[in-house]
Amino acid sequence: MQDRLQALKEEALLKIQQASDLKALQDIKVSYLGKKGPITEVLKGMGKLSPEERPVVGAYANEVRDAITSALELKISELEQAVIEEKLKKESIDVTLPGRPVRKGNAHPLTAVIEEIEDLFLTMGFTVAEGPEVETDYYNFEALNLPKDHPARDMQDSFFITEDILLRTQTSPVQARTMEKHHGRGPVKIISPGKVYRRDDDDATHSHQFMQIEGLVVDENVRLSDLKGVLETFAKKMFGEERKIRLRPSFFPFTEPSVEMDISCFKCGGKGCSICKHTGWIEILGAGMVHPNVLEMAGFDSKKYTGFAFGMGPERIAMLKYGIDDIRHFYTNDLRFLKQFKKA
């Protein structure tokens, strides 16, 4: 019986040595060490041995099992290492080759302009305030001196969700909400950037969704001259120190008096060209002194507090600043367009 076990051991070790893959080793393991293997069959005959021979044969059988198991583990380790080395050879990297350049992104031109405007007003002591894009009719219109029957509402054809809920048509509701939070106590000094929505037909200069930045200052003894000073600083920092501004009378329901601000054309210097439509001036934004009704509805005493507000479209600022002729370029995600602003 020991001779038979010795022969099985030598036979198994030879097959293990000749095995060329992991599957073959698994087959050898099952064949020799499995429940139906030859070693198990030999051990079944131990009952015919004398009591003195049984422990000797049993110990030798265990030695054979251990030898085969050890040989299998060693061969498996060798084959696994060979697989890894072969894979490394095939996937080797020539570290002397120059690396592939990583394409870096850049800020969207609108984002760049908005951040530039925000930084400018932050240096003048303003803070940035934000509010919901889905707004109530009250904050979007009524709190801004636009009651339900006011004809000026026709200027802002809106996306209504319900009779009293709509997509905001301006960021002015942020001003009303901010003033309410101050509970009638100044000062208030904010800008409110964000997306707004109006039912417009999309073309080169109009979009149903666009960005807006509005500003608000409320305090005691705020004058129109303060508004002019702030706007003049903005124009010079944004379009060049040589820029001049002019204020023209206008109408907005939430301000009184109301003005439109123009800047001297940065292309022709005021002489007249296609950009300024040969007038020498370019319209930039609307502004005015906060209407007393708006102050009162927000809880401020209009006899004690005054204020000014202004609003501008970052798309228009960016179009003028970078010479862009179609507002739709900002929203089509065309990389050929966006790559031009890596240094913007």
Side-chain angles (χ1 to χ4, degrees):
M1 191 171 285
Q2 283 181 296
D3 292 340
R4 174 61 178 156
L5 289 171
Q6 179 63 27
L8 289 172
K9 174 184 175 182
E10 293 175 356
E11 181 182 307
L13 292 177
L14 180 61
K15 289 185 177 180
I16 289 171
Q17 188 62 34
Q18 294 174 343
S20 59
D21 56 55
L22 295 174
K23 184 180 183 304
L25 290 174
Q26 182 63 27
D27 292 341
I28 293 170
K29 181 179 180 180
V30 172
S31 297
Y32 286 90
L33 302 179
K35 292 181 179 180
K36 297 181 180 180
I39 295 176
T40 302
E41 291 297 324
V42 171
L43 293 176
K44 286 180 179 178
M46 287 180 63
K48 299 176 181 180
L49 300 175
S50 66
E52 293 80 11
E53 291 178 311
R54 286 175 191 169
V56 175
V57 173
Y60 188 70
N62 288 333
E63 289 179 12
V64 171
R65 280 179 177 276
D66 291 344
I68 294 174
T69 300
S70 297
L72 281 168
E73 291 176 349
L74 180 62
K75 187 66 175 181
I76 288 171
S77 178
E78 290 176 359
L79 289 178
E80 286 179 342
Q81 184 62 33
V83 169
I84 293 172
E85 291 177 359
E86 183 64 25
K87 191 174 182 180
L88 289 174
K89 286 180 182 178
K90 292 180 179 179
E91 297 179 359
S92 62
I93 299 173
D94 185 352
V95 295
T96 64
L97 287 172
R100 295 183 177 90
V102 178
R103 294 172 60 185
K104 295 182 179 180
N106 53 277
H108 189 282
L110 271 184
T111 301
V113 166
I114 291 170
E115 289 179 349
E116 185 179 355
I117 294 172
E118 287 178 346
D119 290 343
L120 171 56
F121 281 102
L122 287 174
T123 62
M124 290 192 278
F126 287 76
T127 58
V128 178
E130 297 181 339
E133 294 177 23
V134 179
E135 191 53 276
T136 64
D137 183 274
Y138 175 78
Y139 284 110
N140 195 79
F141 293 120
E142 293 181 47
L144 303 172
N145 204 34
L146 280 160
K148 291 187 181 295
D149 58 350
H150 201 292
R153 286 197 180 202
D154 294 339
M155 298 165 60
Q156 300 182 21
D157 202 358
S158 316
F159 291 105
F160 275 89
I161 299 169
T162 69
E163 188 174 341
D164 294 311
I165 303 294
L166 72 157
L167 297 180
R168 67 183 181 187
T169 60
Q170 53 203 352
T171 57
S172 304
V174 180
Q175 299 181 24
R177 289 178 176 273
T178 302
M179 284 192 288
E180 278 190 356
K181 291 177 183 177
H182 279 254
H183 303 291
R185 294 189 297 271
V188 179
K189 197 173 185 180
I190 64 163
I191 57 169
S192 51
K195 291 193 288 290
V196 299
Y197 308 85
R198 297 183 188 177
R199 190 189 170 283
D200 249 331
D201 294 326
D202 291 3
D203 57 29
T205 57
H206 297 86
S207 175
H208 65 280
Q209 172 195 300
F210 55 97
M211 301 298 294
Q212 194 175 65
I213 297 179
E214 296 193 8
L216 171 71
V217 174
V218 176
D219 204 352
E220 297 181 35
N221 302 315
V222 175
R223 301 178 297 273
L224 187 63
S225 58
D226 298 318
L227 170 62
K228 182 183 178 185
V230 168
L231 297 182
E232 192 165 30
T233 300
F234 162 74
K236 289 181 180 294
K237 295 296 182 182
M238 202 70 188
F239 295 102
E241 291 295 331
E242 67 280 8
R243 294 283 70 74
K244 296 178 181 179
I245 72 167
R246 73 175 182 183
L247 302 180
R248 294 180 288 106
S250 187
F251 167 77
F252 303 108
F254 29 82
T255 53
E256 179 61 39
S258 303
V259 297
E260 298 274 3
M261 186 188 91
D262 304 331
I263 62 169
S264 56
C265 183
F266 49 82
K267 179 72 173 180
C268 66
K271 297 177 181 178
C273 65
S274 58
I275 291 180
C276 62
K277 299 178 181 177
H278 302 284
T279 65
W281 297 93
I282 300 174
E283 180 184 328
I284 294 294
L285 55 81
M289 301 301 292
V290 180
H291 198 290
N293 290 350
V294 175
L295 291 171
E296 293 288 345
M297 282 187 284
F300 280 82
D301 184 352
S302 61
K303 294 180 180 178
K304 180 180 178 182
Y305 288 99
T306 53
F308 63 76
F310 55 87
M312 67 187 79
E315 285 93 343
R316 177 161 178 77
I317 303 293
M319 291 173 77
L320 291 171
K321 191 175 179 68
Y322 301 130
I324 299 167
D325 60 1
D326 194 323
I327 193 174
R328 290 169 292 193
H329 290 321
F330 292 122
Y331 301 109
T332 54
N333 296 322
D334 190 330
L335 288 177
R336 295 171 299 177
F337 170 75
L338 297 175
K339 284 178 181 178
Q340 301 176 56
F341 300 93
K342 284 189 176 181
K343 296 181 181 180

